[in-house]
Amino acid sequence: NSHKSVIGGKGDGIMLTNDDERRKLRVRYGLDPEAFVYCCHSRPDKIDPTTFRCWMRALSRVRSEYFSRVNDKNESGYPQMRAPPVLWLLRSGEEMERNLRDLVRSEFGQDMEEAMVFADVAERNEHLRRLGCADVFLDTPSYNAHTLGCDALYMGVPMISLLRGFKNADTIGECEGERFADADLVEESTNENIISGKEHLGEHRLIATDKLASRVGASLLAAVGIANDLVFPNMDGYEKAMVRCVTDRKWFDDLRRRLNSLNDSSPLFDTRLWVENLEAAFGELASLKTTGLDVL
């Protein structure tokens, strides 16, 4: 997490410094300058079917609200929703994009295909800079965003994550990321069945978070001090948070301000502290070794 020493901060040419700069860069990547942008630039193989459908349900809800308000009153229902929200994904070949578009058309309708925007793979600095165009980053529960999660948070983009059994940031270390109970399956399957007034019989597999790769997102959010706001124990809470980011802009704007203010003091980006802790751990291992204790 050497972002401060490698990337720098404001004025380094990578971090966006104002809204005008952000709007202009959005146009370059095919994003509406006024749209709320949900982003996931993780590798496509990290996106499982259940999570993708959760994203599309939330997106469908907020876009439907936008269009219904525009059609009824010629104005958006939410003061800061001046354009329909979109989902910004990383492109990984024509087949990947075609499959996602086919799924969206068949399960969510032709109009929802327009909600997806795809970005090409970019070199490191461009990747970081364009992340600043997003409003919120969507973590992939089965295999979390690791380096990319750090990138998003450092660029001031909040991230929504899942950790089953999560109660609060103080108990993350005690959370076993339990798999799930039958009742959870019934509850979340029921929620998945209703999208815009019709049922879909898509895959209802639930995602376990009992592996290391599925727990990183919650740890990153705890390190920057916003885990209690953006880590959820089930996909229902995850989906509702996606919607709230658009419909409760006071809450969301405050969350972004807190993230930006906490980044400067967060241990997540304190490389010196990380190195000191690692050295201390190595020293402790060396001390234990001299006692004859097998530490490996």
Side-chain angles (χ1 to χ4, degrees):
N1 301 341
S2 56
H3 290 69
K4 285 184 179 179
S5 58
V6 175
I7 300 171
K10 293 181 179 179
D12 59 9
I14 295 178
M15 300 189 77
L16 303 181
T17 58
N18 58 68
D19 288 340
D20 286 341
E21 190 177 13
R22 191 165 176 251
R23 291 189 186 96
K24 290 178 182 178
L25 193 59
R26 279 187 168 199
V27 172
R28 174 180 169 184
Y29 293 111
L31 300 167
D32 190 308
E34 303 296 339
F36 188 95
V37 178
Y38 297 104
C39 172
C40 181
H41 286 179
S42 295
R43 298 195 320 263
D45 58 286
K46 290 187 176 184
I47 306 174
D48 64 272
T50 297
T51 298
F52 184 73
R53 288 185 171 94
C54 168
W55 294 349
M56 296 309 297
R57 285 197 307 274
L59 192 56
S60 178
R61 288 171 61 183
V62 293
R63 284 176 66 90
S64 294
E65 177 67 20
Y66 170 82
F67 286 117
S68 67
R69 296 286 182 166
V70 169
N71 293 335
D72 292 344
K73 301 179 180 180
N74 196 32
E75 62 181 15
S76 171
Y78 304 105
Q80 296 189 29
M81 189 158 64
R82 303 185 183 95
V86 297
L87 175 61
W88 195 22
L89 300 170
L90 185 67
R91 180 180 286 114
S92 179
E94 295 181 0
E95 183 178 8
M96 168 264 189
E97 183 175 344
R98 182 173 61 251
N99 288 344
L100 288 183
R101 291 189 182 280
D102 288 346
L103 184 151
V104 169
R105 279 196 301 270
S106 65
E107 295 193 11
F108 296 87
Q110 187 80 27
D111 293 343
M112 282 299 293
E113 184 183 356
E114 300 175 0
M116 292 189 297
V117 180
F118 289 87
D120 292 319
V121 174
E123 57 87 22
R124 176 70 172 162
N125 285 357
E126 181 185 356
H127 150 72
L128 289 165
R129 184 169 171 77
R130 73 181 181 186
L131 268 180
C133 292
D135 288 294
V136 67
F137 190 89
L138 303 176
D139 198 11
T140 43
S142 59
Y143 197 117
N144 291 172
H146 296 189
T147 301
L148 187 51
C150 291
D151 292 344
L153 293 171
Y154 190 71
M155 298 305 291
V157 180
M159 178 173 70
I160 301 175
S161 192
L162 174 81
L163 179 61
R164 296 193 179 277
F166 176 81
K167 294 181 176 63
N168 59 67
D170 294 332
T171 60
I172 281 184
E174 302 168 11
C175 178
E176 297 180 358
E178 58 202 32
R179 295 187 66 84
F180 34 77
D182 291 341
D184 196 15
L185 176 62
V186 172
E187 176 187 356
E188 294 197 4
S189 294
T190 300
N191 289 336
E192 290 199 13
N193 284 340
I194 303 175
I195 304 171
S196 301
K198 60 182 179 180
E199 290 192 350
H200 295 287
L201 301 178
E203 183 175 355
H204 294 152
R205 181 183 63 191
L206 294 185
I207 306 303
T209 59
D210 53 344
K211 302 293 191 297
L212 173 63
S214 304
R215 303 165 60 89
V216 173
S219 295
L220 298 181
L221 288 164
V224 294
I226 57 174
N228 291 338
D229 299 281
L230 292 175
V231 179
F232 299 91
N234 53 56
M235 291 305 291
D236 187 48
Y238 186 117
E239 180 180 336
K240 288 177 180 176
M242 286 183 63
V243 174
R244 187 183 183 189
C245 288
V246 174
T247 60
D248 189 350
R249 287 309 296 266
K250 184 178 183 301
W251 169 80
F252 181 72
D253 290 343
D254 177 67
L255 185 64
R256 289 199 72 155
R257 281 192 293 270
R258 282 195 289 130
L259 172 60
N260 281 297
S261 65
L262 290 167
N263 268 354
D264 289 337
S265 58
S266 169
L268 181 61
F269 303 113
D270 191 337
T271 307
R272 180 181 295 277
L273 177 63
W274 187 91
V275 171
E276 289 175 353
N277 288 339
L278 183 62
E279 289 174 340
F282 285 158
E284 181 67 19
L285 288 174
S287 297
L288 292 173
K289 187 67 175 178
T290 60
T291 66
L293 183 67
D294 185 2
V295 296
L296 299 178

